[in-house]
Structure formats: C-alpha cells, structure tokens
C-alpha cells in the first residue's frame, strides 16, 4: 500500500478539499477577509473537475446563485465572513423555507459591522442559529483543526442533503488561516450523502408531503416535474397558503425534521472526562487551547477534562447534560461575550457552576489563560 | 358536453386558476402574451425555468406558468437565475418581475447580469409603482406624481431601465407596452431565442394603485394613454428631450451578438479538464 497523501494545507483550502470530496460542483462568492482563500481555491479547482465558479456582484447574489444551482440539482456552497453572512441571511432563510440544501462557510472575524477584518472571533455563533427572521432550526458545525475542517465540511454537505436544509460551517480566522500537515481522505473513506430524488411520475409528485421522515425527495429543475418553489409559506403542493391548518404544520416540519435527529447531528470530542470534576467547554480554535490546558492540569494532578463542540446547532442539550452529570464546575471559553455560555447555563443543572473565560479583543485564548481561570475557580 | 379546452391551458397551472390579478391589471395580458410566445416558438415548458421575485408581476410565472418555477426573495430573481443558468445552460431560464424588484432593490444584479451577458430572458413589468404594498413611489414613477410616500409629488426623475440595460451590455433590449400585444409577443419570441442577455421592459398598468393617482381608472384608460404616448425608437431619435418628456419610446433598442457568459464559463471548464487529462497522461 502506498503511503496516503500527506499535505501541508490551510484551513480555508481544507474547506475546498472537503467540499469537492463531498461532491460540491458550484461555488458563488464575493471576496472578504478572512475567507477569500476558499473562493480562490474553488476558482482554481472547480473548472478542473467540471464544476463552475462565479464571483458574484455581492454576497446577496452569491447565496442566491448558490440556491439557484442547488435547485438545478448540484451541491453548492459559498464562503464569507460576518459582514457577508449578514447580507446573506435573508436568502439563507429562503433556503430554510424552501428546504434547499446548501453550505455556507463563515470564517469569523471580529464585529459588529466591518469590525476586525484580520482578527479572530467567534461572535457569529448565535447569528448562525438566529441569523434570518422567523422560526426555524439551524444546523452549524465548527471544526478546530485543518484535518477536522476537511471532515466537517464533508459532514456539512451530508447533513445539508440528508435534511434538505442550509448548513453553516463556522470557522474562525485562526482555523481558516492556520496551516497543518494533514492526510486527505481517499475516495470511499468518508461517507458522502447524495440527494434523494423522486421516483414517482411528475403528476403523482407531492413536493412537500408530510411523510414519516419529514424530508422529501427533491427533483432537479429540468427533470420534468415542473416544480413550484416559493419562499412564501406553502402547502404540501408548494402553493402559497394562508390557512392556519397548513401554516403551523409547515413550520413544525422545518423544526422536527432536524430536532428528531439531534443525536445524529451532534458530534462532540472529549478528553479526560471520565472522572473529571471540572470541564472546559469550547469549540473552534479555543478547543485546541482547552485540550492543552486540560492535559497540563491532569499532569499536575487536577481532575480536569475538556469537551469540544464540533456541532453547535442544534445545541447538544442531552449529550452535554450527560457528560457534565458528575462534574461540579464547567469553564466555557469562547471568543465572544458568551454566546455558547448562555446555552450551557440553560442546559446544565442549577448546582453546576458555569464559569466563563471570554475574549473579544481580536486575540486568541491561550492554554495559560485557561489554566489561570482554572486556578481561579478551583 | 364539456367545454372545449384552450390549447394554452397546458402551459398554465390550471388547478389554481382563475388568477388573482386585479380587474384591469396588465399582468393577465402579459401572462397571455408570454404563453402565446412560448407556444409560438414551440418551447417545452418542462425545459424552462421561470424565476421571479416579489411583487404583483412576479406572480405571472409563479405560480401561474407551468414550468419549473422559482419564486424568490425581493430583488434577487436574476441572481438566483444565474445559478440555475450556469449549471443548466441547456434550459431556457426566464425572469419575470416588476420594476421595483428588478430596477429598485435588485438593480445591482440587473446591471451585472447584463454586463456578463448571461443567457437569461428578463421581462420587467413596469407599472411605475409599488402596487402590492398599496401604491408607493418606485424608481420608475414619473415626476410630480403623488403616491402614498410622495404625498407632495415625486421629486425624483424616473429610471429609463431599458436604456440602462443596453448600456450595461445586454445582447437584446426592447421596450413595449401592454397596448402592443402583438409586437410584445414577437419581441418575447426573439428574446427567448437570443443566446445572450435579453431584456424587455413592458410598460404596464396598475389601475388600482397608480391609476387612481393620475385619473386613469380602468385598464382601457391606460391602454389608450399608452397608445397616444408611444413613440417608435426611430422617430424618438429625431425628437428633443423636451418633446420626449411624457412619451414612451417603444421598439427594439438593440439586437447584437456578444459572447454569452455560461457558454464561456463552460469552455473554461472543458479546456481545464482537457489540460489536466493531458498532464496526467504525459
């Protein structure tokens, strides 16, 4: 067996590798720091494999074209950072409502507004959950290494196709720009989920039928289904409705098709948690520092463990409750004013102390800072 | 004996007819003309994608026209259609939406699609007002007209959208009114057969929310006004700006062959794939 291909790769380029592995063949985007390398990578790679790249006139047009390509039957994505994501959210809502799969990569920088184009942040975590108006359930995943960026990008596409919903891949500037030596997966090594297409004749097709799974087969445009898709609240045939008996079930469908499968979506990485009395909870670049801090603390004899949220939305309530059942204290570390911390507080029992180490000055959290916090709460 | 079925009913979603357009609205006429144009040049609706935005005229294709239809967000149909066309250049992709949608909120997508010369047919229904929200000023409302948001009269000059699209680089541009149904049908046929970006500005009527502001109470009032106001492109060239002030310049503004975007993009891809294959073989 020849050695697997080991490469030195940047996180943003790992997104491209993962997306192409997952079958992504359309990219539309608009340049923005610190995500631009994703667009550059797609511009170079996609034509080589029969895919298409367009640089659109803005981020609104980018996500619109991505959704257009997806209804044309192709796995599609875009990448941006906070300001661009803010422009995209209306059309991301359109993808939720029309149940159109697509992947949006947000390489986070400091905000609000133009904020800190070149500095790291995790302050779009809640935006990935609640960005667009209305009631819906979001899926967001957050890798913490270049290797994980490849696998989580593949997973983002799988979840998107599986549940017919947009999925946000939350990177932060550190993960997007850091370089690591990784081994790219061989064809067949990672699961790739393909979109389920209708098999019935067009005249029998009910595009948004309330089935057991709540996820309907999706025909591509041009396949003869003469499908109607609208962002207006619609009935099972896809036609606009104002009937209360049809409105609530549609919204329930959007939520339940995901919430019934939280276990399948949730992915957590844990270290030293079996007898841990104190747990670090973090994600993205902070998780790297937290694992290191837990290791150092263990070496010094403290019963400390760490949990990394590889998927953030839907929030892993049940899993987190179980993992933290025996610990007395948790420390949530994140690069914002506590967006995940409030979720942790919501989930954990009242007698579990939730401490936070929050940084929002454009700098990373270091293992030493986490250890200092640990000393403080011990 | 059952009523004979009209041959064009195959082109519309019969199950949700009759349509909901107001009495005298131009949208019904445009749906009629569009359907005739599609039938006349023998396009298969199953091979068409009709994209629309938000506003009354966006309902012409979605839900009424029975192709694959994508009823998108306000102002963005051209951007959505771009994604469809790039991945499925074999399909006929048509955008039908209003003046507020296409030239107001979505103006940026319009000029960039025209500049790229992507093979979309965009039929912009220009009724000079935001009708669906009850009659607010649009980028196309004539000066001095009182609307609900210009109660003291509109102080902004209106957009000449067809001229803008021509300047931006489109292959085919025309302007007609709902009075000119036969000319409009022929223009639509031509636009649908055009390889690059084709654009028709269709001056249309909104008796309810525009007409009441300007003393035109019925659809017929509007059609008579359009008839009197219309000046052909050739004749307009000989007229001064003052003479053209309250006129509608109708006819074909341009018809030219320029490289189409999605086929160029396809070529880049095909060449790249070939190159990589050769490199691997060598």
């Amino acid at each position: 067996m020849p050695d697997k291909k080991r490469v030195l790769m940047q996180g943003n380029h790992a997104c491209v590798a993962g997306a192409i592995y997952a079958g992504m063949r359309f990219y539309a985007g608009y340049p923005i720091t610190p995500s631009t390398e994703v667009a550059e990578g797609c511009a170079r790679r996609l034509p080589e494999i029969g895919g298409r790249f367009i640089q659109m006139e803005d981020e609104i047009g980018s996500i619109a074209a991505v959704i257009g390509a997806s209804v044309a039957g192709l796995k599609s994505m875009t990448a941006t950072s906070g300001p661009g994501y803010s422009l995209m959210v209306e059309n991301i809502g359109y993808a939720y409502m029309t149940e159109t799969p697509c992947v949006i990569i947000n390489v986070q920088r400091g905000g609000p507004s133009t904020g800190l184009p070149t500095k790291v942040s995790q302050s779009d975590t809640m935006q990935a959950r609640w960005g667009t108006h209305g009631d819906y359930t979001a899926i967001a995943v957050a890798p913490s290494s270049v290797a994980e960026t490849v696998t989580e990008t593949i997973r983002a596409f799988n979840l998107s196709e599986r549940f017919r919903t947009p999925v946000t891949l939350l990177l932060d500037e550190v993960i997007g720009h850091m370089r690591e030596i990784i081994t790219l997966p061989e064809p067949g090594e990672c699961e790739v989920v393909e979109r389920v297409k209708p098999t019935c004749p067009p005249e029998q097709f009910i595009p948004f039928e309330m089935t057991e799974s709540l996820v309907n087969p999706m025909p591509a445009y041009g396949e003869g289904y003469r499908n109607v898709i609208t962002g207006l609240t619609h009935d099972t045939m896809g036609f606009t409705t104002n009937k209360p008996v049809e409105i609530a079930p549609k919204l329930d469908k959007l939520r339940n098709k995901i919430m019934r499968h939280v276990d399948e979506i949730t992915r957590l990485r844990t270290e030293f948690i079996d007898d841990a009395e104190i747990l670090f909870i973090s994600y993205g670049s902070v998780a790297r520092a937290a694992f290191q801090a837990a290791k150092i603390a263990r070496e010094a004899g403290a019963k400390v463990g760490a949990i990394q949220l590889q998927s953030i939305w839907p929030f892993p309530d049940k899993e987190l409750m179980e993992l933290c059942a025996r610990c007395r204290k948790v420390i949530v570390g994140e690069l914002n004013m506590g967006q995940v911390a409030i979720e942790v507080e919501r989930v954990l029992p009242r007698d579990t102390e939730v401490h936070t180490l929050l940084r929002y000055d454009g700098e990373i959290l270091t293992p030493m800072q986490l250890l200092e916090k640990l000393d403080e709460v011990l | 004996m059952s009523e004979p079925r009209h041959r064009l009913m195959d082109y519309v979603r019969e199950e949700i007819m009759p349509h909901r357009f107001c009495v005298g609205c131009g949208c019904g006429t445009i749906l009629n003309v569009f359907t005739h144009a599609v039938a006349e040049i023998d396009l298969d609706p199953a091979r068409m994608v009709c994209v629309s935005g938000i506003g009354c005229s966006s309902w012409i294709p979605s839900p009424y026209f029975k192709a694959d239809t994508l009823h998108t967000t306000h102002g963005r149909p051209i951007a959505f259609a771009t994604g469809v066309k790039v991945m499925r250049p074999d399909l006929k992709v048509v955008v039908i939406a209003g003046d507020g949608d296409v030239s107001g909120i979505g103006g940026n997508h319009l000029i960039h699609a025209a500049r790229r010369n992507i093979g979309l047919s965009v039929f912009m229904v220009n009724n000079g007002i935001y009708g669906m929200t009850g009659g607010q000023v649009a980028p196309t409302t004539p000066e001095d007209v009182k609307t609900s948001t210009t109660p003291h009269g509109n102080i902004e000059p209106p957009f000449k959208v067809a001229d803008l699209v021509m300047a931006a680089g489109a292959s085919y541009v025309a302007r007609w009114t709902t009075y000119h149904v036969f000319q409009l049908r022929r223009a639509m046929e031509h636009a649908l057969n055009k390889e690059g970006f084709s654009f028709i500005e269709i001056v249309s009527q909104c008796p309810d929310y525009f007409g009441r502001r300007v003393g035109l109470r019925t659809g017929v009032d509007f059609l008579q006004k359009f008839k009197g106001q219309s000046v052909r492109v050739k004749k307009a060239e000989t007229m001064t700006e003052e003479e053209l002030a309250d006129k509608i310049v109708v006819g074909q503004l341009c018809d030219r062959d320029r490289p189409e975007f999605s086929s160029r993009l396809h070529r880049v891809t095909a060449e790249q794939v070939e190159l990589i294959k050769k490199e691997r073989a060598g």
Side-chain angles (χ1 to χ4, degrees), chain A residues 26 47 50-52 54-58 60-61 64-65 68-69 74 91 94 221-222 226-232, chain B residues 10 13 45 49 66-73 76 79-80 82-84 86-88 108-109 112 116 266 269 272-273:
Chain A
F26 180 81
R52 304 281 192 280
I54 324 182
Q55 183 170 317
M56 289 294 284
E57 51 274 12
D58 57 31
I60 302 172
L74 276 295
N91 282 338
Y94 182 86
Y221 273 9
R226 295 162 86 170
N227 207 2
V228 53
I229 297 178
T230 178
L232 286 160
Chain B
D10 290 342
R13 293 202 171 96
V49 178
K66 197 175 175 180
D68 279 317
T69 55
L70 192 64
H71 187 200
T72 72
T73 50
R76 317 302 167 198
F80 278 85
T82 298
V84 176
V86 162
M87 293 321 295
R88 290 299 302 271
N108 200 27
H109 307 303
H112 286 280
R116 285 185 192 108
H266 181 78
T269 298
Q272 276 302 106
V273 172

Side-chain angles (χ1 to χ4, degrees), chain A residues 53-166:
Chain A
F53 168 91
I54 324 182
Q55 183 170 317
M56 289 294 284
E57 51 274 12
D58 57 31
E59 286 91 346
I60 302 172
S62 301
I63 183 69
V66 162
I67 297 167
S70 184
V71 298
L74 276 295
K75 290 185 180 177
S76 313
M77 81 166 186
T78 187
T80 187
S81 189
Y85 197 93
S86 292
L87 286 174
M88 288 180 185
V89 292
E90 186 196 8
N91 282 338
I92 295 173
Y94 182 86
Y96 283 122
M97 185 57 124
T98 57
E99 307 190 45
T100 306
C102 57
V103 171
I104 307 106
I105 292 158
N106 181 353
V107 189
Q108 295 168 90
R109 65 194 227 184
S113 189
T114 316
L116 301 162
T118 60
K119 295 272 196 177
V120 70
S121 171
Q122 295 176 327
S123 53
D124 303 342
T125 308
M126 274 293 178
Q127 187 188 36
R129 173 65 188 88
W130 297 110
T132 199
H133 58 278
D135 276 321
Y136 56 95
T137 294
I139 299 178
V141 295
S144 75
S145 68
V146 176
E148 242 178 57
T149 300
V150 176
T151 52
E152 287 301 298
T153 306
I154 298 169
R155 207 164 79 90
F157 275 95
N158 288 348
L159 293 169
S160 179
E161 296 293 336
R162 159 92 172 80
F163 295 108
R164 279 191 63 176
T165 190

Side-chain angles (χ1 to χ4, degrees), chain B residues 18-19 34 65 68 84 86 121 184 225 267 269 281:
Chain B
H19 62 63
F34 176 61
F65 190 76
D68 279 317
V84 176
V86 162
S121 295
L184 176 60
K225 180 110 196 287
R267 238 180 350 262
T269 298

